[in-house]
Amino acid sequence: MKNYAALIAEELGLTEHQVKNTLDLLESGATIPFIARYRKEVTDSLDEVQIAAVRDLYAKWQELDKRRSVILDSIAEQGKLTPELAEKINNALKMSELEDLYLPYRPKRKTRASVAVERGLEPLAKIIMRQGLIDLMSTAAKFVNPEKSVETFEEALAGARDIMAEWVSENVGVRERLRIQFRNYAVISSKVVKNKEEEGEKYAIYFNASEKLAKVPSHRMLAMFRGEEEGFLQLNIAPDEEKALETIKRFYLRGENDCSRQVEYSIEDAYKRLLQPQMETEMRKYYKEKADTEAIKVFVTNLRQLLMAPPMGQKTVLALDPGFRTGCKLVILDKQGKLLHTETIYPHPPHSQYKLASDKLKRLVLQYKVDAIAIGNGTAGRETENFVRHIPFERDVMAVVVNESGASVYSASEVARAEFPDYDVTVRGAVSIGRRLMDPLAELVKIDPKSIGVGQYQHDVNQNRLQSSLQETVESCVNSVGVEVNTASKELLSYVSGLGPSLAKNIVDYRNENGPFKHRSALKLVPRFGAKAFEQAAGFLRIRDAENPLDASAVHPESYGVVNEMARKAHCSVADLMQNADLRKSINLNDFITDKVGLPTLNDIMQELAKPGRDPRQNYEIFEFDKSIQTINDLKEGMVVPGIVTNITNFGCFVDIGVHQDGLVHVSRLANKFVKDPNEVVKLNQKVMVKIIGIEVDRKRITLSMKDV
């Protein structure tokens, strides 16, 4: 095992001390949110992204070590492991380097070269490879052996070339030079599969295309790979063949004689038959992983923005899941999101019970003292919004359009069935829409992130990597906000640092049987809630109106003693310290520094005392679409309208302008300056003004611009 802490530190620009301490914490079972929040002194304040990078790089080194061990054992079993080879293998720092060293010793099926070796032609290959001035014909004739199926000197030379071609293809230096050439200069070419032009029309831009491999954006790379996977495209990856061959020839050719020409033939064969296909496979894997990384990054960024969308907070909400023929499913939720009432109204054609539906809404809003009406943005969404906004309610009530992506997935899920076993999917969907308005994070954690619809080529990327990244993003958001332990669902609790589904269920069961938790230490009474789980989770769990006011904050119980000492020195109670800014200003933090508690933790404590349990999410803002447009047919080029960003990709962003079809703002039209990353300009759920610059009604395409708006 090498000093991987030093290698990781060098790659990430950290100190070896930071990396080693972080790895020790991870090894002890600490979670990334816990380390980032409560172990700043140990890591010198590394954030979650840096801690995850340390963990991931260490996992790669571990994987490399496992493979190294397998390779050493395999070569040793063959009796071919020399001290020099072992040293090279032990010093290899890249998987490709390791595999190149192993290639000549890797057990393989019968090859043309191995057949030639069996026929006794390896000595001839060695003679030719030296490229001396010899009588090649007579030398080759000595290896003619009909008993070994070598009938002529031409067959002997052909066998020797096969052996030399394999030597060339397995040469570590050749492979590394060629690998660099492929990465820097290879071109990816795509052609349409014969007779698939019509069926594969959506890939038309790739029917006869080529571009430098290293410059292909991730979304185009994934699109081409998908087109090939679906049988519409043929892809080829290679640099200029003459340049590639010249690279290898410079490595081997040492003259211009008969032997040199045989070596040259072998080089050409090695490249076309062995090296080019192998390098193409390697490049496909390398650039697919690179494209996956970029696509997952986009998905993760979008998901974080969606989960951290501003909550409206505890309001009594009337939620509508709109529909035409089947009507609009209506539910009323109390301030905690509990279902109070449900029924269906039919304000739209073919029923057109406009007045009946209007009177019913007026009555329910008054009866339940509704604060807000949440309207799903799917089918009949704009029509329902228009209907609601024209009702003269007798109390102030706001109408809000809510993105319902994934609500149908939740309504049919096991989680929803367990929560509402006596209601059908339409009721569950309406409940989800209403709760999303109150607290998007608490509701969206119940849905598989892949179903929320904020990704880019999500089905084309490595699903395990995607799932892992999305899971970590949800965990990061949940722990960043904190969770009210007495009202949270088990789904929300399961994302809290150190818990998971099993402990989350135990907490809910204990809460149901024994009533609400009155202090954090009571969590230790929950079955299987041990000391480690308490250490990892307690700081992220909130207890509103607890006996100890610190239980409602992000101050970790392990620091309660520090706060108590602060209060003692200020001659006041902890509650006084939290309520009085002057008392907090009288505290000299240097007086409380110990070998375990430093200024980073003390500063965090002071911030929490000032705003206990503060929510990092922004305040909620009301948004309205342009009332004059309802469908795509109402749009005219040149119109400037309000919209909400619903998805962000590498090539731009999609904006909902309220016509049941999102429009695209291409990256080139996001701003009056060059934009490389759309996330530099827009965020998910951001309210924007856009100009209509293109409308294709038949294809349901809307082209938008944010330039000069």
Side-chain angles (χ1 to χ4, degrees):
M1 174 70 74
K2 294 178 173 51
N3 184 2
Y4 286 146
L7 293 167
I8 294 169
E10 183 179 357
E11 186 164 345
L12 298 179
L14 304 174
T15 67
E16 190 174 340
H17 168 79
Q18 286 176 298
V19 173
K20 187 178 183 308
N21 286 356
T22 300
L23 291 174
D24 287 343
L25 284 167
L26 290 167
E27 185 67 26
S28 73
T31 68
I32 290 177
F34 175 80
I35 296 170
R37 173 74 192 190
Y38 297 112
R39 291 296 180 265
K40 292 181 178 179
E41 285 81 4
V42 181
T43 69
D44 291 341
S45 299
L46 293 186
D47 61 27
E48 289 188 15
V49 174
Q50 292 170 308
I51 295 166
V54 169
R55 178 205 59 193
D56 293 344
L57 272 179
Y58 184 63
K60 284 187 177 180
W61 288 119
Q62 286 182 308
E63 185 183 347
L64 190 74
D65 258 349
K66 287 178 184 175
R67 184 60 180 155
R68 190 193 321 277
S69 179
V70 169
I71 288 172
L72 287 169
D73 289 346
S74 174
I75 300 175
E77 286 174 8
Q78 298 172 43
K80 298 177 181 177
L81 186 62
T82 64
E84 294 77 19
L85 179 57
E87 184 179 5
K88 287 181 181 178
I89 292 171
N90 280 316
N91 289 333
L93 297 178
K94 292 188 291 187
M95 191 66 80
S96 59
E97 184 183 355
L98 206 52
E99 296 297 346
D100 284 352
L101 288 166
Y102 183 43
L103 192 57
Y105 308 95
R106 183 198 297 273
K108 21 174 127 62
R109 287 177 286 182
K110 188 171 285 191
T111 65
R112 283 165 46 173
S114 65
V115 170
V117 170
E118 289 173 3
R119 291 174 177 171
L121 297 173
E122 188 173 16
L124 176 59
K126 290 179 178 178
I127 293 170
I128 296 172
M129 191 60 102
R130 287 196 287 268
Q131 300 174 54
L133 292 171
I134 61 171
D135 185 336
L136 185 59
M137 188 181 301
S138 62
T139 302
K142 296 175 183 176
F143 290 88
V144 172
N145 187 346
E147 291 182 4
K148 292 190 175 182
S149 301
V150 183
E151 303 289 345
T152 65
F153 79 90
E154 287 93 345
E155 288 184 6
L157 289 175
R161 288 196 299 271
D162 287 340
I163 294 170
M164 290 189 292
E166 191 166 278
W167 288 344
V168 170
S169 73
E170 292 179 348
N171 184 289
V172 173
V174 166
R175 295 180 71 84
E176 191 53 39
R177 283 173 175 78
L178 211 53
R179 186 173 287 116
I180 292 169
Q181 194 157 31
F182 266 74
R183 284 191 182 174
N184 292 338
Y185 305 110
V187 170
I188 182 168
S189 306
S190 61
K191 293 182 179 179
V192 63
V193 173
K194 191 175 181 181
N195 300 324
K196 291 281 188 176
E197 291 85 355
E198 188 174 339
E199 191 181 352
E201 191 270 337
K202 65 179 178 180
Y203 296 106
I205 60 172
Y206 304 114
F207 281 181
N208 187 23
S210 66
E211 60 183 309
K212 195 172 180 180
L213 183 64
K215 295 289 181 70
V216 181
S218 64
H219 61 276
R220 284 215 296 274
M221 185 74 72
L222 291 171
M224 284 190 277
F225 284 149
R226 181 198 286 174
E228 184 180 50
E229 179 73 20
E230 292 177 358
F232 300 121
L233 300 176
Q234 289 178 328
L235 303 182
N236 180 67
I237 296 173
D240 180 81
E241 187 174 293
E242 287 304 315
K243 289 183 178 177
L245 286 171
E246 191 58 39
T247 297
I248 307 173
K249 288 175 183 177
R250 282 200 302 270
F251 203 86
Y252 277 102
L253 293 183
R254 294 192 289 273
E256 292 184 8
N257 54 45
D258 291 343
C259 287
S260 299
R261 278 187 285 277
Q262 293 296 314
V263 173
E264 189 170 3
Y265 297 149
S266 298
I267 290 170
E268 292 172 358
D269 177 46
Y271 178 73
K272 294 174 184 177
R273 182 168 58 87
L274 301 171
L275 283 166
Q276 191 278 329
Q278 290 168 4
M279 287 294 149
E280 177 169 0
T281 298
E282 193 174 310
M283 291 303 110
R284 282 171 175 266
K285 183 173 182 290
Y286 175 79
Y287 281 99
K288 172 64 167 61
E289 288 178 355
K290 197 174 177 184
D292 281 3
T293 298
E294 190 59 37
I296 290 171
K297 178 184 172 186
V298 169
F299 204 142
V300 161
T301 301
N302 288 351
L303 178 62
R304 180 177 293 278
Q305 292 171 9
L306 187 64
L307 294 175
M308 297 298 282
M312 180 173 278
Q314 293 187 322
K315 306 285 184 185
T316 301
V317 172
L318 187 156
L320 289 166
D321 188 355
F324 289 114
R325 184 182 57 80
T326 57
C328 301
K329 185 58 67 176
L330 175 159
V331 300
I332 294 178
L333 308 172
D334 70 9
K335 288 177 167 57
Q336 282 71 45
K338 181 181 177 182
L339 178 60
L340 302 177
H341 178 81
T342 177
E343 61 180 288
T344 306
I345 56 175
Y346 300 90
H348 309 306
H351 306 282
S352 301
Q353 298 174 0
Y354 185 90
K355 187 173 188 311
L356 179 63
S358 177
D359 290 344
K360 188 167 287 187
L361 282 184
K362 285 171 67 177
R363 177 177 56 80
L364 289 171
V365 165
L366 201 59
Q367 178 184 345
Y368 287 97
K369 298 180 180 177
V370 169
D371 299 306
I373 298 175
I375 304 162
N377 70 340
T379 302
R382 282 309 307 279
E383 292 80 1
T384 303
E385 179 198 10
N386 190 47
F387 158 67
V388 169
R389 292 193 189 282
H390 283 86
I391 298 174
F393 292 107
E394 295 178 37
R395 60 179 274 120
D396 288 338
V397 59
M398 60 185 83
V400 182
V401 176
V402 176
N403 187 335
E404 62 178 59
S405 294
S408 59
V409 175
Y410 161 76
S411 61
S413 69
E414 189 176 330
V415 171
R417 288 196 299 274
E419 195 171 5
F420 300 106
D422 300 325
Y423 294 96
D424 65 17
V425 293
T426 59
V427 172
R428 298 171 194 156
V431 170
S432 182
I433 289 168
R435 287 177 174 174
R436 284 190 195 195
L437 180 63
M438 299 164 74
D439 190 341
L441 177 61
E443 191 61 22
L444 290 171
V445 294
K446 301 174 184 176
I447 304 170
D448 182 347
K450 288 184 287 187
S451 302
I452 298 175
V454 293
Q456 171 188 334
Y457 295 97
Q458 66 190 68
H459 301 295
D460 299 313
V461 303
N462 182 294
Q463 294 301 294
N464 289 334
R465 282 183 62 198
L466 175 63
Q467 188 65 33
S468 174
S469 297
L470 297 181
Q471 182 87 2
E472 284 188 7
T473 302
V474 178
E475 289 174 1
S476 173
C477 292
V478 168
N479 288 289
S480 172
V481 171
V483 172
E484 172 56 47
V485 72
N486 284 323
T487 57
S489 66
K490 68 176 184 293
E491 288 76 30
L492 185 59
L493 285 166
S494 70
Y495 285 103
V496 172
S497 166
L499 295 188
S502 179
L503 267 181
K505 181 179 183 302
N506 290 354
I507 290 173
V508 172
D509 290 345
Y510 185 90
R511 189 177 71 196
N512 291 339
E513 292 171 13
N514 300 279
F517 293 93
K518 294 181 180 178
H519 46 81
R520 277 172 168 164
S521 58
L523 288 163
K524 295 176 181 178
L525 300 175
V526 174
R528 299 182 63 191
F529 203 110
K532 190 67 180 180
F534 185 82
E535 176 197 59
Q536 297 297 306
F540 302 105
L541 296 172
R542 312 275 188 267
I543 301 179
R544 193 180 297 116
D545 302 321
E547 296 171 359
N548 185 337
L550 293 176
D551 284 351
S553 75
V555 175
H556 197 284
E558 66 187 11
S559 295
Y560 283 7
V562 176
V563 180
N564 289 333
E565 183 63 18
M566 288 178 177
R568 189 186 68 77
K569 282 204 171 186
H571 305 291
C572 66
S573 68
V574 170
D576 292 335
L577 198 61
M578 296 172 78
Q579 294 164 10
N580 192 318
D582 290 333
L583 286 173
R584 292 194 299 275
K585 287 177 184 175
S586 71
I587 300 293
N588 182 354
L589 295 184
N590 291 318
D591 293 342
F592 302 93
I593 294 174
T594 68
D595 57 341
K596 289 187 177 180
V597 179
L599 280 176
T601 293
L602 292 170
N603 283 323
D604 283 347
I605 288 173
M606 294 305 288
Q607 287 177 15
E608 273 301 308
L609 294 179
K611 292 183 178 180
R614 66 194 186 283
D615 192 325
R617 295 172 291 183
Q618 295 178 346
N619 294 326
Y620 188 84
E621 295 178 1
I622 296 295
F623 171 83
E624 287 186 19
F625 290 116
D626 189 320
K627 293 183 175 65
S628 67
I629 59 172
Q630 299 290 322
T631 71
I632 193 171
N633 296 308
D634 297 328
L635 300 179
K636 292 182 175 58
E637 288 189 16
M639 288 176 96
V640 176
V641 297
I644 297 177
V645 177
T646 58
N647 201 358
I648 302 172
T649 70
N650 282 340
F651 52 82
C653 72
F654 290 91
V655 178
D656 180 3
I657 57 174
V659 296
H660 305 303
Q661 179 61 52
D662 290 357
L664 172 66
V665 182
H666 189 266
V667 65
S668 62
R669 298 190 178 102
L670 277 174
N672 294 323
K673 61 178 183 178
F674 172 76
V675 176
K676 183 177 181 181
D677 180 3
N679 276 293
E680 296 172 359
V681 181
V682 290
K683 302 297 179 189
L684 212 64
N685 284 333
Q686 182 178 333
K687 283 75 173 174
V688 295
M689 297 299 294
V690 292
K691 181 187 286 186
I692 315 292
I693 60 173
I695 310 161
E696 297 177 66
V697 177
D698 294 342
R699 303 178 73 183
K700 293 185 177 180
R701 286 189 178 179
I702 306 168
T703 307
L704 307 171
S705 175
M706 287 172 55
K707 280 185 172 182
D708 303 315
V709 174

